[in-house]
Amino acid sequence: MTPETIEGYGVRLRPCHLADVPEMVAGCADPEIRRFMPLLPDPYDSDAARWWVTEGAPAAWAAGGAAYTIADPATDRLLGSIGLTRLSAERATYEIGYWVGAAARGRGVATAATRLLTERAFAAGAARLELLTRTENVASQRIALACGYRHEGVRRAAGADGDGVRQDLIAWVRLADDPPGPLARLLPDLPDGRLTDGVVTLRPVEPADTDALYRLHSLPEVVANRVPPVAPERAALARRCRLAASRWLAGEAADLAIVDAVTGAVVGGCALFYDEPATGQAMIGYSLLPEARGRGLAARTVRLVAGWAFGIGVARLWAGTRPDNVASQRVLERAGFRREGLLRGRLPGPDGARVDSVVYGRLATDEN
């Protein structure tokens, strides 16, 4: 690639200019940008910005990559920055990265710039582009999906904070012959961000739900139905809540908080795991805090999730319970599930024992 200006999708990508320095300083001092780009100079001042324009960006081009200013086509003013790092000349593999200033966020600028540079890179001979995101950077993961990048897995400890702490990164990849996107998601967003019947509301799990879910999953009766049946550490629950949005985007699980629609209190948790996308099968699990039991909230939850799941293309839902968990079996029956059989020794139990599992199923064609 050569450092020439390109335009498309409502943005301009051009070489960096010294006139960009004030906007670069303002953008790179933004706490939101620094949160995901912790290795930027601190403080990021005009000297750091001028170094990038006069030395950093030219070095990126000289190394076979690219370094563009994202500019407003009408004013040519800086909106952000985007570039490519050549990872392997032999394999024609590059990493794409970007940032967008606060004033330009929410306008599709990053998506437009990523789409434009992706197309230009492939036209120039790139075979594979990688977009690495922090696990909690949900906005960037949505951009990857919108631009046709596919979730390829987690690179453990591939990133680092300024203090040397290692961080996992999610790899999103697009090949030259992949469709341009946006990619269809196994687990789309909930309509209006939630499901509700006026009594119970289900919404995506958030980091603020950690305390409630830790209390829930530490209850002996809930621990007994975990796989394996071991109480979680609080740090593990905090990480689950922190990564819930990312796992949803990747199609791994729809992790839901069960909320009392009247009080707004979190009263339980529910998750849908798309365990067999090829066959259209997903698994559901749920649990309630003691103060919410006996009010029919679990059955309402399962009905709401089932309705949404069948609406997004799931053909079959299943759930398993321990043979002695009669309460959960009644919930499933009230929600239209049918008992299908017993799987002997399916689950790990305490002290190395195996525990049977009673299987319930519901088809999209079943009547509730």
Side-chain angles (χ1 to χ4, degrees):
M1 295 182 63
T2 55
E4 57 190 31
T5 298
I6 54 177
E7 290 193 24
Y9 306 111
V11 297
R12 172 181 295 159
L13 305 187
R14 59 162 173 77
C16 307
H17 301 155
L18 284 173
D20 296 331
V21 166
E23 282 84 6
M24 288 178 63
V25 171
C28 291
D30 183 343
E32 188 66 15
I33 289 176
R34 301 199 65 84
R35 178 184 169 201
F36 298 118
M37 300 177 67
L39 300 183
L40 285 171
D42 187 18
Y44 195 95
D45 55 18
S46 57
D47 288 340
R50 280 193 291 269
W51 176 89
W52 175 252
V53 174
T54 60
E55 298 185 45
W61 288 105
Y68 284 107
T69 285
I70 307 171
D72 184 328
T75 65
D76 202 43
R77 292 193 63 177
L78 178 146
L79 303 175
S81 179
I82 191 167
L84 294 171
T85 300
R86 185 162 67 176
L87 302 178
S88 170
E90 180 182 0
R91 297 171 184 168
T93 300
Y94 297 79
E95 179 184 342
I96 189 169
Y98 51 81
W99 64 263
V100 171
R105 290 182 206 143
R107 295 161 42 188
V109 169
T111 300
T114 301
R115 183 174 287 125
L116 184 59
L117 185 53
T118 295
E119 292 177 359
R120 181 57 173 260
F122 286 140
R128 172 184 167 93
L129 297 181
E130 300 184 359
L131 197 166
L132 302 181
T133 70
R134 295 264 179 143
T135 52
E136 68 271 25
N137 191 349
V138 175
S140 206
Q141 293 167 42
R142 289 184 180 275
I143 290 166
L145 287 165
C147 295
Y149 286 72
R150 301 184 186 183
H151 182 272
E152 200 168 82
V154 175
R155 294 191 178 170
R156 295 183 302 145
D161 283 339
D163 56 6
V165 176
R166 306 300 300 183
Q167 300 286 339
D168 292 347
L169 297 177
I170 301 177
W172 303 85
V173 174
R174 184 167 159 193
L175 306 182
D177 56 356
D178 282 342
L183 288 184
R185 288 167 48 191
L186 278 177
L187 297 172
D189 294 332
L190 299 178
D192 300 321
R194 63 177 192 162
L195 302 172
T196 187
D197 63 1
V199 175
V200 67
T201 295
L202 309 178
R203 59 159 176 77
V205 163
E206 303 169 351
D209 298 324
T210 296
D211 287 341
L213 293 185
Y214 178 63
R215 181 163 75 95
L216 173 68
H217 288 278
S218 299
L219 295 169
E221 66 273 24
V222 176
V223 170
N225 290 281
R226 288 174 57 87
V227 180
V230 177
E233 295 182 356
R234 192 184 186 284
L237 253 299
R239 186 173 189 274
R240 170 180 165 178
C241 293
R242 198 169 60 249
L243 302 186
S246 176
R247 294 181 67 212
W248 193 310
L249 287 173
E252 297 172 6
D255 213 348
L256 297 157
I258 305 173
V259 178
D260 186 312
V262 176
T263 67
V266 175
V267 295
C270 178
L272 179 80
F273 301 92
Y274 216 144
D275 59 333
E276 284 190 13
T279 65
Q281 176 178 278
M283 181 185 76
I284 188 171
Y286 50 88
S287 50
L288 290 174
L289 288 165
E291 61 266 28
R293 296 172 191 164
R295 297 162 50 192
L297 301 186
R300 289 176 177 273
T301 293
V302 175
R303 289 192 199 100
L304 284 169
V305 174
W308 173 69
F310 294 142
I312 64 171
V314 174
R316 167 182 159 79
L317 277 176
W318 75 276
T321 79
R322 291 164 60 102
D324 59 353
N325 193 349
V326 177
S328 190
Q329 294 167 28
R330 288 174 176 167
V331 165
L332 292 168
E333 290 166 355
R334 287 197 295 271
F337 284 68
R338 303 179 189 179
R339 180 172 173 141
E340 295 182 339
L342 179 75
L343 297 180
R344 295 182 303 130
R346 177 178 177 272
L347 302 175
D351 302 321
R354 303 294 299 183
V355 178
D356 296 344
S357 177
V358 181
V359 177
Y360 282 77
R362 182 177 165 189
L363 305 181
T365 53
D366 287 344
E367 294 184 7
N368 187 358

